[in-house]
């Protein structure tokens, strides 16, 4: 009887652990499961849609910073977003002599603090009569958040408007929101 009780208890424990692991990895980005127990870098390196972003973060020397405690809110452009830039832009930015410019662009995608999609939408709706609201990025630039047709947009200082395509990808040190365009500071 004792062994049956232990077996049932073990089965229940394994089922709970499997359910928790499944729930944690239920968000997928670039075909890869994203785990809330991993940090931004640990998850981003697995997304096939963010290989350019990961290469840029490495070239800029930002791996340690984005692996740190945060919390951070990252607006992560996809490979397609980088490919939409003028020809040669990414190659130029990845050159060692352009590290400062690359760092500025990448940190213009990061806000200190953790802002969920619901947080951003609520504030954008609340300030809609003023054209939305702004948050300061780690680069010192500002991102504006506006609503249009029930959709949240992020607007950079250059006027580029980007839709968030995947939101609330929770990380151990913040949250990632996937965006369809590269946000460019002035």
């Amino acid at each position: 009887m004792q062994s049956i009780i232990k077996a049932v208890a073990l089965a229940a424990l394994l089922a709970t652990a499997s359910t928790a692991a499944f729930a944690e990895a239920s968000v997928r980005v670039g075909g890869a499961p994203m785990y809330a127990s991993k940090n931004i870098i640990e998850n981003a390196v697995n997304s096939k849609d963010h290989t350019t972003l990961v290469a840029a973060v490495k070239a800029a020397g930002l791996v340690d910073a984005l692996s740190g405690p945060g919390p951070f809110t990252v607006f992560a452009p996809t490979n397609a977003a980088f490919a939409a830039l003028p020809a040669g832009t990414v190659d130029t930015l990845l050159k060692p002599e352009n590290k400062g410019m690359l760092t500025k662009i990448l940190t213009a995608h990061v806000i200190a603090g953790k802002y969920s999609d619901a947080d951003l939408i609520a504030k954008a709706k609340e300030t809609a009569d003023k054209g939305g609201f702004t948050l300061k990025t780690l680069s010192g630039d500002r991102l504006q958040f506006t609503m249009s047709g029930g959709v949240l947009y992020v607007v950079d200082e250059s006027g580029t408007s980007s839709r968030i395509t995947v939101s609330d990808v929770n990380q151990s040190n913040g949250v990632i929101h996937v965006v369809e365009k590269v946000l460019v500071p002035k």
Side-chain angles (χ1 to χ4, degrees):
M1 184 68 148
Q2 192 94 335
S3 61
I4 293 174
I5 292 171
K6 285 181 182 178
V8 170
L10 180 60
L13 179 64
L14 290 174
T16 301
S18 295
T19 302
F22 176 76
E24 180 185 31
S26 63
V27 176
R28 297 179 80 77
V29 175
M34 299 288 117
Y35 298 96
S37 61
K38 292 185 177 186
N39 69 42
I40 290 165
I41 297 300
E42 291 170 331
N43 275 317
V45 297
N46 294 316
S47 170
K48 67 179 181 185
D49 291 344
H50 291 89
T51 56
T52 305
L53 177 61
V54 169
V57 167
K58 288 177 181 177
L62 295 172
V63 171
D64 288 342
L66 291 174
S67 297
F72 305 107
T73 299
V74 176
F75 297 93
T78 61
N79 293 341
F82 281 102
L85 293 172
T89 301
V90 173
D91 291 335
T92 300
L93 287 171
L94 292 175
K95 291 181 179 177
E97 62 268 23
N98 295 322
K99 183 178 178 180
M101 186 184 329
L102 178 61
T103 299
K104 178 151 174 83
I105 290 169
L106 293 175
T107 56
H109 289 80
V110 183
I111 297 171
K114 184 175 179 181
Y115 295 90
S116 71
D117 191 51
D119 295 336
L120 297 171
I121 288 171
K123 184 75 171 167
K125 285 181 177 178
E126 179 182 303
T127 58
D129 61 332
K130 298 175 186 157
F133 73 102
T134 61
L135 290 172
K136 188 176 176 181
T137 67
L138 295 186
S139 67
D141 298 282
R142 296 206 165 267
L143 294 177
Q144 181 179 11
F145 298 86
T146 62
M147 296 292 294
S148 178
V151 176
L152 178 66
Y153 288 89
V154 183
V155 183
D156 65 26
E157 289 186 339
S158 299
T160 300
S161 179
S162 182
R163 194 171 47 90
I164 295 174
T165 58
V166 180
S167 61
D168 294 336
V169 184
N170 290 304
Q171 317 289 299
S172 65
N173 62 343
V175 63
I176 292 175
H177 301 293
V178 178
V179 291
E180 63 185 355
K181 294 183 181 172
V182 175
L183 305 169
V184 182
K186 278 204 167 194

